[in-house]
Amino acid sequence: MKSYIDGLLLNLKRANPGQEVFIQASTEILYSLIPLLKRDERYVKNKILERILAPERTMMFRVVYMSDGGEPCVHTGYRIEFNSALGPYKGGLRFHPSVNLGVLKFLGFEQIFKNSLTGLNIGGAKGGANFDTKGKSDGEIMRFCQAFMLELHRLISSNTDVPAGDIGVGGREIGYMYGAYKKLTRRFDGALTGKGLSWGGSLARTEATGYGSVYFANEMLATRGDSLHGKICTISGAGNVAIYTAEKLYQMQAKPVTVSDSTGFIYDAEGIDVALLKKLKEQLRVGLCEYIKERPNAKFIPVSAYPAGRNGVWSVPCDAAFPSATQNELNLQDVKTLYANGCRMVCEGANMPSTLEAIDFMLAQKDFLFGPAKAANAGGVATSGLEMAQNAQMASWSFEEVDSKLREIMRHIFRTSYETSKEFGAEGNLVLGSNIAGFRRVADAMLDQGLV
């Protein structure tokens, strides 16, 4: 079976040159499926792997808007509708200069299995553009979002494809895009999630990915008779995921001591001031260097102080780490440093933040817990699914009701992943458990639906 996977990956590399992160995500998932493929020959016989590796639909389009200075600006927009076996395509939109076809294929492929694990009836997709919201005026961002929606509106609706936000796409951007969608289609439906609370959004959606990651971490610790109570935690990132990971950690009686952005990281031994962090990142939209002006006992360590190829956040001693920024931010050297400094758990809040070598190291340590992203950071898309349900009912649930449903979904994801790892003789290996559980649900639906 390994030779079969080797051959698939070789063909995938040939067909997708330069798409390293997509190849990385495919490699991690495919090899972990070997125990299932050996047990059930239907998946190989019916070419399920070959089919699931190919997006059902890939769109690229030009996006042109006018800058405040009257200059036309040109970007490339994308929407990759990867798999609809379980329901409407569902996955975020990312606006960032790093966006390209390979990055979005990686994210869309991961989204298939993440969405499957939630137990909701949603497929996998991803999209975005190589547009940077940083340094742009509200007017420029509005005009870009409107130009982007001129093409995207042809693809989306409440029961075909339902995008959400991601890096660079928050409530402001969703609002601008939804306004354009409504104007172009003459429809007011649940075609986007992450909407404003007064016009169809869901309470707890902003907090969901961070909260869900912490809920998942606590479930992992519970298998060893432990909890987050009293744990010192490091977090990377300073966006929604990081902010609300920190907030929920406090609620679970843990103490987050770091956050980071593109300029450097904050180490606050007294505990990250979440209110100040929200002010800097959600209101003022400034760098973390401003944090120490109001918290003089904290330290700001600029990126230039890091050793080459390292992330300084992971040099801070801790009990648990929550990588919540971007892909491949936690490498083998970083995780070895974490382990040497006493860390015994990594719970991924970002999409694929750990390299394959780092994951192999963590899985090899018997006293270490590792929560892979497709399971641990599924809270965001789960709550997007709950927003879709509220829109369909024309209802609005309380924060407590949504948060309770979110916690139960994260508990379900953990139990499903853990029980699947036991089923295949690798108890506690949540990479294997989540990959097999997520794949099996989608693959069985594909078999039921025939060659489509």
Side-chain angles (χ1 to χ4, degrees), residues 108-361:
F109 186 60
E110 288 270 303
Q111 199 76 45
I112 300 169
F113 310 105
K114 181 190 303 185
N115 293 359
S116 171
L117 285 168
T118 67
L120 303 174
N121 292 323
I122 45 179
K126 208 71 181 184
N130 59 343
F131 171 75
D132 194 352
T133 57
K134 291 182 179 178
K136 304 293 194 303
S137 70
D138 282 350
E140 288 173 320
I141 291 170
M142 180 181 68
R143 291 191 291 275
F144 176 83
C145 289
Q146 292 170 338
F148 185 82
M149 189 53 72
L150 280 174
E151 291 296 329
L152 189 69
H153 84 277
R154 309 172 198 275
L155 310 174
I156 67 174
S157 78
S158 59
N159 58 8
T160 55
D161 186 347
V162 186
D166 193 69
I167 294 173
V169 179
R172 173 182 56 176
E173 290 76 19
I174 292 291
Y176 291 151
M177 284 190 282
Y178 194 82
Y181 170 81
K182 183 163 60 74
K183 182 76 170 179
L184 290 162
T185 64
R186 300 181 64 198
R187 293 198 300 267
F188 198 111
D189 60 23
L192 288 165
T193 56
K195 299 184 291 297
L197 295 177
S198 62
W199 46 277
S202 174
L203 289 162
R205 174 60 188 91
T206 303
E207 296 86 350
T209 305
Y211 278 23
S213 176
V214 175
Y215 288 147
F216 193 89
N218 212 48
E219 292 293 327
M220 286 196 290
L221 287 165
T223 64
R224 300 190 174 179
D226 201 355
S227 73
L228 283 163
H229 189 279
K231 298 285 190 293
I232 302 297
C233 303
T234 52
I235 304 170
S236 65
N240 278 349
V241 181
I243 290 171
Y244 293 101
T245 295
E247 183 170 277
K248 181 55 69 172
L249 283 170
Y250 277 124
Q251 293 175 18
M252 304 292 275
Q253 305 301 309
K255 183 164 73 171
V257 295
T258 69
V259 287
S260 68
D261 65 12
S262 59
T263 65
F265 78 93
I266 290 291
Y267 171 55
D268 191 337
E270 298 172 1
I272 292 296
D273 185 328
V274 175
L276 175 57
L277 184 60
K278 288 180 181 180
K279 173 185 171 183
L280 296 177
K281 290 301 181 180
E282 296 180 345
Q283 299 173 25
L284 301 178
R285 301 179 189 271
V286 296
L288 284 176
C289 57
E290 300 296 314
Y291 182 96
I292 59 175
K293 292 181 179 179
E294 296 190 41
R295 298 277 287 189
N297 291 335
K299 297 178 182 178
F300 173 72
I301 298 88
V303 169
S304 58
Y306 302 178
R310 301 294 300 280
N311 187 337
V313 169
W314 312 127
S315 65
V316 176
C318 65
D319 300 306
F322 292 80
S324 305
T326 191
Q327 62 262 21
N328 290 327
E329 59 172 301
L330 181 63
N331 62 31
L332 179 59
Q333 287 180 295
D334 291 328
V335 79
K336 284 183 175 180
T337 299
L338 281 170
Y339 190 78
N341 285 338
C343 179
R344 290 298 180 267
M345 180 175 72
V346 165
C347 190
E348 295 185 325
N351 289 301
M352 200 173 73
S354 306
T355 65
L356 291 175
E357 295 79 11
I359 292 172
D360 287 343
F361 177 86

Side-chain angles (χ1 to χ4, degrees), residues 87-104:
Y89 303 106
K90 187 83 188 80
L93 299 170
R94 177 176 292 193
F95 292 169
H96 193 270
S98 65
V99 166
N100 57 44
L101 191 59
V103 168
L104 293 180

